[in-house]
Amino acid sequence: MAKTDAVLRRGLEGQDAERILTLDPAFQGLPDTAHGGSVLAAFRLLAETWPAPEVRGVYRKRVPLGVPLRLAIDHADDERVDCRLLDAADATLVEGGVRQCGAGMPSEAMVRAEGDPLPVSSTCFACGVDNPLGLGVRLTHDDDGVWGLWPAREHLRTRDGALAPIALTTLLDEAAFWLGALASGESGMTTELVVRLCGSVPFGSAITVGGRRDSVRPRPDDPRYWDTRVTAWDERGRVVADADITFVAVRGSARRLAAWLLRVNPPQVVRRVFPAYA
């Protein structure tokens, strides 16, 4: 079986300020769109020797899969790399980069015994039941939060024997998406992502990811935007990554997403998240 980290690396070509990034179709989030966590993981490769980086991305447009995209390095030094991901017409899809930072904020591990399952899909990189390179994560929700316990899969082991960072960036982004969807009752996308990776994680540790619903807040100037805080812990309760991620609700988009999710989920699972559309 192909290693997910190796597939991501093969998609990044070049060494200079102008590189090419081609995201494998397995890195899908919403239909025909790259998962936000996969784009951040590609940015992480620009400074992969840094032990505990902060990786950020501001998503301007949909990031397509399976096509060469230009990755322009605007600034690079020993503390910061700034970059832009552009399409064939030189339109900016994502602005982002990497910077040196310390460990994330301490946080008590979210452990729950019961809850309702969140929907899964067939092809999503995070939750897809038929995606051989994906995480296969199953998230749960209740009135308090969104969470999930994810046992690392062998194809997410790097060549150095660590957990691939793409697993953490994707878990955090996926949890933030569902926090935003539950808060708004709508689908949409994560638009501003800041993920702090707290160092290399040895492969084999089960990862818990979660966020509290009472910490999700709409922006006063534009209530379509919901700010979330999500965290990932190892099996000892140590924070291995945390993130501040903004979700933007797009009115009516949940109708299309709900129809797609109903192909592989019981109606009541979809209805709990999108009651107006399922």
Side-chain angles (χ1 to χ4, degrees), residues 33 58-64 87 91-94 189:
T33 304
V58 179
Y59 291 70
R60 304 297 187 190
K61 295 185 177 182
R62 179 183 70 88
V63 178
D87 64 14
T92 298
L93 306 176
V94 186
M189 61 181 289

Side-chain angles (χ1 to χ4, degrees), residues 27-128:
F27 296 132
Q28 175 198 307
L30 294 171
D32 303 316
T33 304
H35 200 289
S38 69
V39 177
L40 283 194
F43 289 176
R44 168 75 175 104
L45 294 177
L46 301 176
E48 64 177 314
T49 61
W50 295 356
E54 178 184 276
V55 191
R56 67 190 188 282
V58 179
Y59 291 70
R60 304 297 187 190
K61 295 185 177 182
R62 179 183 70 88
V63 178
L65 297 157
V67 297
L69 303 170
R70 188 161 66 89
L71 184 57
I73 313 301
D74 296 326
H75 174 87
D77 59 27
D78 292 338
E79 296 185 351
R80 193 180 92 241
V81 177
D82 298 329
C83 63
R84 288 172 296 130
L85 189 63
L86 304 106
D87 64 14
D90 275 348
T92 298
L93 306 176
V94 186
E95 297 175 79
V98 190
R99 73 179 182 91
Q100 297 264 31
C101 72
M105 296 293 292
S107 177
E108 181 180 354
M110 175 175 281
V111 179
R112 298 286 188 271
E114 297 180 358
D116 295 315
L118 282 162
V120 298
S121 77
S122 59
T123 53
C124 173
F125 178 62
C127 69

